[in-house]
Amino acid sequence: MSSLTDTARRWVADDPDGATRAELERVIAAAESGDEEAAADLADRFAGTLEFGTAGLRGKVGAGSNRMNRAVVIRAAAGVARYLSDSVGQSVVAIGYDGRHGSIDFATDTAAVMVAAGHRALLMPRMLPTPVLAYATRALNADAGIMVTASHNPPQDNGYKVYLGGRAVTDSGQGAQIVPPYDAEIASRIAAVPSVLEVPRADSGWETIPDSLVDDYVRTAASAAGPDPDGRRANTRIVITSLHGVGSECMQRALREAGFTDIHEVAEQAVPDPDFPTVAFPNPEEKGAIDLSLELARRVGADVVIANDPDADRCAVATVIDGEWRMLHGDVTGSLLGELIARHRARLRMAPGSQVFANSIVSSRQLKAIAERHGHSHVNTLTGFKWLSRVPGLVFGYEEALGYCVDPSSVRDKDGISAGTLMATFVADLKAEGRTLADAVDDLARDYGVYLTHQVSVRYSDLAEIPATMARLLANPPASLANAPVTATDDMNEGFAGLLPTSGLHLATSSGARVIIRPSGTEPKVKAYLEVIKPVEGDDIAAARAAATEEMALLEADVRAALGV
């Protein structure tokens, strides 16, 4: 305990924030008095240093090296500033922030560090979505973009994303989130910062990005919808929610710019609130997160629900299927958008050869079938938009976790605003034909067969069990799944030349089913991604879905058994 409290007191002495100094001093005093809970808390706060990687920083807000706080952020900003100075010299840095605890302070500290280091710092005029910062990085030709957000993490978290562009990255990844080796190069410079109090910070000198850039982003997001010559969009009733995040303003404006006027917002979730009081977990994928949206949709007779996560880079879509409001799986929305974009490009007579569609390795194989049918190329990438958004020639990319990039020339990241606007346009077009999104899902089944995806997650309290589980599966994979022989067993690290941050296993069966098992990169979990494909005989979509559901149940049971749960 003496060594731990000494470490904590050194942290207090180097912390520029009076609030976190006082917080840590209280924890130290309680731990020294024999409070076991405080002692455990103190140990966790200094159980290491919050690591900077390809996701930047992300963790609980609080005092200590293993937390998000001003001291950690100032160190990170100093590391990014030094990297920019070393690699391209005096740089332009765009900085954004959302509504989470500490976000504006972390953003302002970053601007102060950048200015003191000789860089030009451009700070967003207010809390805004992550896609706006990604847009600004390209629109302003910034050498770096920094977004303070924890996206859809729990309320106690915050984070720090870094994009590189301008002169720092000049290939197809210009304006995208960092990947190796940039993360390691920045991390080494963060580690070299001797003291937070020694990091120079300017009192002023950063610039405020004008509202005109936000206006430009909104117009660009709305342009994904194209023109509305017959005014059909005014007849489409939309329910939206930002889940207490910062997406409301831009989502409302983009929809109205595109011609939608009948918009109903979940009032209880419209104003940014870092405590997210109406949801257990601020992620549209989580059970109950969009219940208020669905309730409002029933009440007003909506045509579609569009839900953004707190920083609005993700987009969930709900519609009526078989008489019930349901949220579409991320793979279904990705396939709908992929088909829509592929058909639109065919109508414009765009040469298919240079058009690339991409999704992550754990997402459905249906997008590949869509791309091939329309004469386009398709690429599978590692999980994460830092990989998807830098695919050369990309016209559409998605990952099953509700992330969609429908305009990579403007935003090289997932963008829930432009994706939501495009999906609303699709609903308006279908409604004008007397059809719905449910009909469009049926169309996909007729054209490509039924693609059913599902995920199994196993949480571990003992982190050592995760590599042990993967090692066991890699050494002794199942010989059959869902009563079908396993015909392919691949170590995914080999397929991606060691780029995977964790081990992964790919299994394929003679029936066409696929399973990918890999540890989560952000949680103490092993995740399995399951997919079943069934052809539609004649027009009997219901029979194909029933067969797929039956096989999926068997597949899930076998995967759970293989994982030992």
Side-chain angles (χ1 to χ4, degrees):
M1 178 58 70
S2 175
S3 173
L4 180 58
T5 54
D6 287 348
T7 299
R9 285 197 170 93
R10 285 195 295 273
W11 180 275
V12 169
D14 196 38
D15 188 345
D17 189 329
T20 45
R21 286 200 306 270
E23 173 190 328
L24 192 53
E25 285 170 343
R26 289 192 297 270
V27 176
I28 293 170
E32 289 183 326
S33 72
D35 186 326
E36 293 184 2
E37 186 175 338
D41 180 23
L42 189 64
D44 186 58
R45 289 169 184 266
F46 291 93
T49 300
L50 204 60
E51 291 187 6
F52 184 92
T54 55
L57 297 169
R58 195 171 292 189
K60 293 180 181 178
V61 175
S65 60
N66 196 31
R67 295 287 188 271
M68 278 292 294
N69 49 62
R70 290 183 62 202
V72 164
V73 166
I74 289 168
R75 280 183 176 273
V80 175
R82 171 51 60 189
Y83 170 79
L84 292 171
S85 296
D86 292 345
S87 58
V88 295
Q90 188 176 32
S91 300
V92 175
V93 183
I95 305 164
Y97 58 96
D98 66 6
R100 285 182 177 266
H101 292 294
S103 283
I104 189 169
D105 293 331
F106 299 159
T108 304
D109 278 332
T110 298
V113 170
M114 294 298 165
V115 170
H119 302 302
R120 183 182 175 202
L122 309 176
L123 188 64
M124 283 291 174
R126 57 189 175 281
M127 60 181 77
L128 285 161
T130 293
V132 180
L133 185 278
Y135 173 82
T137 302
R138 285 184 58 76
L140 299 172
N141 197 30
D143 300 297
I146 295 171
M147 181 67 193
V148 180
T149 180
S151 192
H152 57 286
N153 272 40
Q156 63 267 26
D157 288 2
N158 211 330
Y160 199 80
K161 290 183 178 181
V162 177
Y163 301 75
L164 290 177
R167 296 164 298 153
V169 172
T170 57
D171 59 15
S172 61
Q174 187 176 58
Q177 288 185 59
I178 57 171
V179 296
Y182 305 114
D183 57 339
E185 293 180 9
I186 293 172
S188 68
R189 289 163 174 83
I190 294 172
V193 175
S195 163
V196 176
L197 294 182
E198 291 179 16
V199 174
R201 283 182 290 145
D203 294 325
S204 60
W206 52 89
E207 304 166 47
T208 300
I209 294 173
D211 279 315
S212 59
L213 181 131
V214 184
D215 299 338
D216 291 342
Y217 166 78
V218 168
R219 281 192 293 271
T220 301
S223 69
D228 183 28
D230 57 4
R232 64 179 56 176
R233 294 172 193 165
N235 299 318
T236 302
R237 183 163 295 172
I238 304 171
V239 164
I240 66 170
T241 181
S242 58
L243 292 185
H244 302 291
V246 296
S248 174
E249 174 200 346
C250 289
M251 190 75 253
Q252 286 259 15
R253 289 180 60 192
L255 286 171
R256 294 188 185 282
E257 182 87 18
F260 296 96
T261 57
D262 196 354
I263 303 168
H264 301 256
E265 184 164 19
V266 178
E268 300 94 324
Q269 299 173 336
V271 177
D273 187 331
D275 294 319
F276 307 105
T278 68
V279 292
F281 201 98
N283 180 351
E285 289 184 296
E286 294 291 325
K287 185 176 177 59
I290 67 167
D291 282 359
L292 289 176
S293 306
L294 302 185
E295 180 183 323
L296 179 58
R298 295 185 194 100
R299 193 162 65 244
V300 302
D303 296 303
V304 68
V305 169
I306 297 171
N308 293 126
D309 70 335
D311 70 329
D313 62 350
R314 287 172 170 81
C315 173
V317 177
T319 190
V320 176
I321 296 178
D322 296 331
E324 296 290 334
W325 274 97
R326 300 180 189 175
M327 192 182 89
L328 299 179
H329 189 281
D331 280 319
V332 175
T333 301
S335 293
L336 287 169
L337 287 170
E339 178 72 11
L340 179 66
I341 291 169
R343 288 184 177 180
H344 175 68
R345 290 183 168 269
R347 285 195 298 271
L348 294 179
R349 300 181 184 277
M350 292 184 173
S354 61
Q355 313 300 308
V356 180
F357 289 62
N359 56 351
S360 61
I361 53 175
V362 299
S363 300
S364 173
R365 290 167 287 174
Q366 189 165 35
L367 186 66
K368 184 175 189 291
I370 290 169
E372 289 177 347
R373 181 177 185 181
H374 291 278
H376 300 301
S377 301
H378 176 269
V379 174
N380 273 327
T381 74
L382 298 169
T383 55
F385 256 86
K386 55 187 173 286
W387 301 107
L388 276 164
S389 57
R390 63 199 332 112
V391 170
L394 183 71
V395 296
F396 172 66
Y398 93 90
E399 58 183 2
E400 48 81 39
L402 307 181
Y404 312 99
C405 179
V406 302
D407 183 13
S409 64
S410 301
V411 176
R412 287 195 176 155
D413 200 357
K414 52 189 173 292
D415 183 350
I417 306 297
S418 58
T421 304
L422 183 56
M423 185 56 74
T425 302
F426 190 25
V427 172
D429 292 343
L430 288 166
K431 186 175 184 180
E433 300 168 358
R435 307 175 75 238
T436 67
L437 270 181
D439 295 319
V441 174
D442 285 348
D443 289 344
L444 285 177
R446 290 187 186 94
D447 291 341
Y448 302 99
V450 171
Y451 285 68
L452 181 62
T453 55
H454 184 57
Q455 186 182 133
V456 173
S457 294
V458 181
R459 183 177 291 273
Y460 294 85
S461 55
D462 181 359
L463 296 183
E465 293 183 36
I466 295 177
T469 298
M470 292 306 305
R472 174 176 57 80
L473 287 170
L474 287 164
N476 188 28
S480 68
L481 291 168
N483 297 326
V486 171
T487 57
T489 303
D490 305 303
D491 181 342
M492 289 167 52
N493 268 317
E494 296 176 2
F496 284 95
L499 286 172
L500 281 171
T502 54
S503 58
L505 176 64
H506 166 262
L507 302 167
T509 76
S510 60
S511 70
R514 184 196 69 178
V515 175
I516 292 175
I517 303 173
R518 59 183 290 272
S520 168
T522 57
E523 299 175 276
K525 291 180 178 179
V526 170
K527 293 184 176 181
Y529 300 84
L530 288 56
E531 183 170 38
V532 169
I533 304 173
K534 291 295 177 185
V536 174
E537 303 293 342
D539 197 41
D540 199 348
I541 298 172
R545 286 192 176 129
T549 300
E550 181 180 353
E551 184 171 346
M552 181 61 77
L554 295 172
L555 189 62
E556 179 179 355
D558 286 349
V559 168
R560 287 187 178 278
L563 290 170
V565 294

